């Protein structure tokens, strides 16, 4: 098979990218999705809070996904469901995509360009090195969410949650509403990894304690979890002797971080950020490999799906422009790349480089900070010259930040652009 653009992933990012590519003039767009339906992780997120930015109304996850699925169907964008991509490789100036499915068997697709929209996965228990046996009753928060919301199973009656990521916070509320008792949410960091609104609506409103600077040091039980021991940790994340507390429970949910799904990206040779685990991209959301674009949680973990869609639309539009330029023989060179550097409390930026000639009138730069800040300042400088300064009363690691850069601010000869956040 041959296609102009292949989008890998049929979740919110993949759908928005495919729709934007089609609307930008590329007719031949194909979506590959490993599940049996489009919508990605949103299909199990039955709580509301989605769509306030995009649709100016509050939707559940499945409702939000349905809006994009309808748009894709209106445009007759084909999607191969139940199709898992097993390899990506460069072939000439295009991409060779190998996938497998029950209906088609082994399928090879030659694409002029590709959009990576595979999303992210949860960090497993094995990454925690928690001592104890391997009893039943230990679930990732996302698995528990699928069991409760889609399959109608309650994983347990007495629950401890490790990690205060958004899925963990939402599942604390969900398990409570289903009749379980959530004993506490333990978080190893001195701050929560979730949105402030989720802490208030999912924990405070239900009287569920959040224990910061605590972690699980032991899991009890052989066949089924019978309890856990939590302890306070010091600045080096080491348990403090004497602070241990045993909590009886039959279920432990893990919400200990999300990892962008980048095995395919590694295979094709895309440069990955050591901070985000996702590809490093330029102002067009193009990776280090020409014609391969990335967006959504495969690029960096987002806090709001509205921003995923916004970013994916940009990736789809830029991917279409790449295919069109290639067809016309007017492909632009990537010379004149200006690095974007994080400074102060800023952990990373997306993108990591920009080319003034390829910029639109303005560019959204997204970033996260690595610590809680109050009365903070955000500064953008080019070669030491201040371009933007703004005050932020509160900044938190769980919330994504952004600044907008304007093309008119740059000559194209700058050596570096820095994005700084901190307290002055």
């Amino acid at each position: 098979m041959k296609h102009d653009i292949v989008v890998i992933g049929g979740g919110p990012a993949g759908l928005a990218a495919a729709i934007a590519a089609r609307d930008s003039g590329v007719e031949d767009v194909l979506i590959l999705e490993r599940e049996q339906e489009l919508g990605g992780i949103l299909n199990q997120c039955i709580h509301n809070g989605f769509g306030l930015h995009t649709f100016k109304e509050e939707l559940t996850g499945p409702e939000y996904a349905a809006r994009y699925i309808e748009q894709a169907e209106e445009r007759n964008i084909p999607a191969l469901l139940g199709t898992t991509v097993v390899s990506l490789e460069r072939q000439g100036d295009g991409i060779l995509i190998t996938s497998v499915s029950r209906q088609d068997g082994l399928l090879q697709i030659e694409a002029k360009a590709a959009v990576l929209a595979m999303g992210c996965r949860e960090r497993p228990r094995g990454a925690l090195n928690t001592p104890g046996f391997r009893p039943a009753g230990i679930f990732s928060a996302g698995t528990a969410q699928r069991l409760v919301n889609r399959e109608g199973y309650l994983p347990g009656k007495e629950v401890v949650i490790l990690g205060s990521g958004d899925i963990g916070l939402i599942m604390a509320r969900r398990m409570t509403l289903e009749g379980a008792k959530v004993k506490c949410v333990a978080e190893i960091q001195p701050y929560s990894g979730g949105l402030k609104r989720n802490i208030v609506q999912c924990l405070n409103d239900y009287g569920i304690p959040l224990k910061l600077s605590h972690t699980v040091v032991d899991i009890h039980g052989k066949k089924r979890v019978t309890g856990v021991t939590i302890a306070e940790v010091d600045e080096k994340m080491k348990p403090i002797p004497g602070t241990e507390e045993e909590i009886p429970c039959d279920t432990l949910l893990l919400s200990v971080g999300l990892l962008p799904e980048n095995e395919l990206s590694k295979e094709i040779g895309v440069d990955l950020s050591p901070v985000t685990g996702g590809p490093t991209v330029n102002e067009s959301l193009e990776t280090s490999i020409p014609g391969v674009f990335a967006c959504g949680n495969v690029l960096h973990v987002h806090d709001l799906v509205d921003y995923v869609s916004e970013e994916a639309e940009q990736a789809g539009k830029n991917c279409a422009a790449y295919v069109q330029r290639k067809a016309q023989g007017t492909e632009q060179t990537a010379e004149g790349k200006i690095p974007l550097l994080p400074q102060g409390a800023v952990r990373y930026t997306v993108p990591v480089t920009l080319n003034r000639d390829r910029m639109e009138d303005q560019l959204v730069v997204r970033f996260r900070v690595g610590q809680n800040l109050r009365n903070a300042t955000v500064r953008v400088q080019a070669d030491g010259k201040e371009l933007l300064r703004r005050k932020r009363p509160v900044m938190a690691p769980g919330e994504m930040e952004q600044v907008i850069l304007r093309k008119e601010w740059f000559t194209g000869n700058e050596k570096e652009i820095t994005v700084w956040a901190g307290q002055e």
Side-chain angles (χ1 to χ4, degrees):
M1 296 173 68
K2 292 189 178 185
H3 290 278
D4 286 349
I5 295 175
V6 173
V7 178
I8 303 172
L15 288 165
I19 290 162
R22 172 66 69 82
D23 289 351
S24 298
V26 175
E27 287 294 315
D28 187 9
V29 180
L30 174 69
I31 299 172
L32 301 178
E33 168 56 48
R34 67 184 173 192
E35 299 295 334
Q36 295 299 328
E37 57 188 335
L38 296 170
I41 197 69
L42 289 181
N43 290 326
Q44 67 186 47
C45 299
I46 64 171
H47 53 280
N48 60 5
F50 301 94
L52 288 168
H53 294 270
T54 309
F55 299 112
K56 304 295 184 272
E57 60 181 305
E58 201 167 11
L59 304 170
T60 65
E63 287 171 336
Y64 187 95
R67 298 279 177 101
Y68 278 95
I69 293 168
E70 283 166 18
Q71 291 181 39
E73 287 173 348
E74 283 167 10
R75 291 160 177 77
N76 294 316
I77 298 172
L80 294 181
L81 303 177
T83 301
T84 302
V85 177
V86 292
S87 79
L88 279 182
E89 51 191 291
R90 299 172 78 167
Q91 186 179 62
D93 60 351
I95 316 295
L96 181 66
I97 300 161
T98 305
S99 66
V100 292
S101 70
R102 284 183 176 225
Q103 65 269 26
D104 298 314
L106 189 71
L107 192 63
Q108 290 200 308
I109 305 166
E110 293 177 22
K112 293 176 183 173
V115 179
L116 307 178
M118 294 89 73
C120 58
R121 67 174 185 271
E122 292 177 284
R123 190 176 273 115
R125 179 199 169 174
L128 302 179
N129 296 323
T130 307
F133 293 94
R134 293 196 169 269
I138 302 173
F139 302 87
S140 70
T143 300
Q145 186 181 54
R146 193 191 76 243
L147 290 171
V148 174
N149 293 349
R150 302 214 69 188
E151 299 180 26
Y153 293 112
L154 187 64
K157 297 285 182 66
E158 295 190 314
V159 184
V160 170
I161 298 176
L162 176 60
S164 61
D166 285 313
I167 303 175
L169 297 175
I170 287 162
M171 282 310 294
R173 175 178 64 185
R174 190 78 185 95
M175 296 291 283
T176 302
L177 291 173
E178 288 297 328
K181 171 68 177 170
V182 179
K183 300 291 190 74
C184 74
V185 175
E187 170 58 61
I188 195 168
Q189 298 287 353
Y191 52 80
S192 169
L195 292 170
K196 180 73 176 172
R197 74 177 191 206
N198 284 335
I199 299 168
V200 173
Q201 294 172 2
C202 300
L203 299 188
N204 299 355
D205 287 358
Y206 295 90
I208 299 168
L210 172 61
K211 293 180 176 286
L212 298 174
S213 298
H214 280 73
T215 191
V216 171
V217 293
D218 201 2
I219 299 169
H220 310 297
K222 287 189 178 181
K223 289 187 176 178
R224 174 86 196 195
V225 173
T226 58
V228 298
T229 301
I230 66 170
E232 197 173 342
V233 298
D234 58 23
E235 309 83 52
K236 295 180 180 176
M237 306 296 166
K238 300 291 183 191
I240 301 170
T243 63
E244 295 85 0
E245 177 188 354
E246 190 170 327
I247 303 175
C249 64
D250 60 17
T251 304
L252 174 65
L253 300 189
L254 305 177
S255 179
V256 288
L258 298 167
L259 302 169
E261 284 267 23
N262 274 300
E263 282 67 31
L264 292 171
S265 313
K266 284 179 198 165
E267 187 179 11
I268 197 172
V270 164
D271 291 343
L272 299 180
S273 160
V275 179
T276 65
T280 57
V281 293
N282 63 17
E283 72 295 323
S284 301
L285 300 176
E286 187 177 25
T287 67
S288 56
I289 296 190
V292 178
F293 296 76
C295 57
N297 285 347
V298 81
L299 180 54
H300 59 135
V301 176
H302 291 58
D303 51 359
L304 296 179
V305 73
D306 301 70
Y307 295 147
V308 167
S309 302
E310 191 181 297
E311 185 178 271
E313 283 168 18
Q314 206 60 39
K317 185 178 165 187
N318 292 331
C319 186
Y322 170 86
V323 169
Q324 288 159 343
R325 286 195 305 267
K326 225 167 123 178
Q328 295 159 3
T330 57
E331 178 52 27
Q332 297 166 308
T333 61
E335 292 172 12
K337 287 194 294 188
I338 309 167
L340 269 131
L341 305 175
Q343 288 193 343
V346 178
R347 294 183 64 232
Y348 69 88
T349 65
V350 171
V352 298
T353 64
L354 70 84
N355 181 319
R356 185 191 180 278
D357 295 337
R358 302 205 311 197
M359 262 181 84
E360 294 185 357
D361 291 339
Q362 58 184 41
L363 174 70
V364 176
V365 175
R366 295 193 165 94
F367 64 92
R368 284 184 190 264
V369 293
Q371 63 196 78
N372 281 318
L373 297 171
R374 289 192 174 276
N375 302 318
T377 302
V378 177
R379 280 200 316 254
V380 179
Q381 295 183 323
D383 294 344
K385 177 188 171 187
E386 189 167 283
L387 304 175
L388 180 149
R389 171 190 289 258
R390 75 161 192 244
K391 294 286 184 185
R392 293 285 286 136
V394 176
M395 298 180 81
E399 307 206 9
M400 210 162 62
E401 300 283 340
Q402 65 180 42
V403 291
I404 295 175
L405 307 185
R406 302 194 179 279
K407 187 173 185 174
E408 64 204 44
W409 294 349
F410 306 104
T411 64
N413 298 317
E414 287 80 7
K415 296 286 185 290
E416 66 178 30
I417 299 163
T418 57
V419 181
W420 180 91
Q423 291 164 319
E424 292 184 305

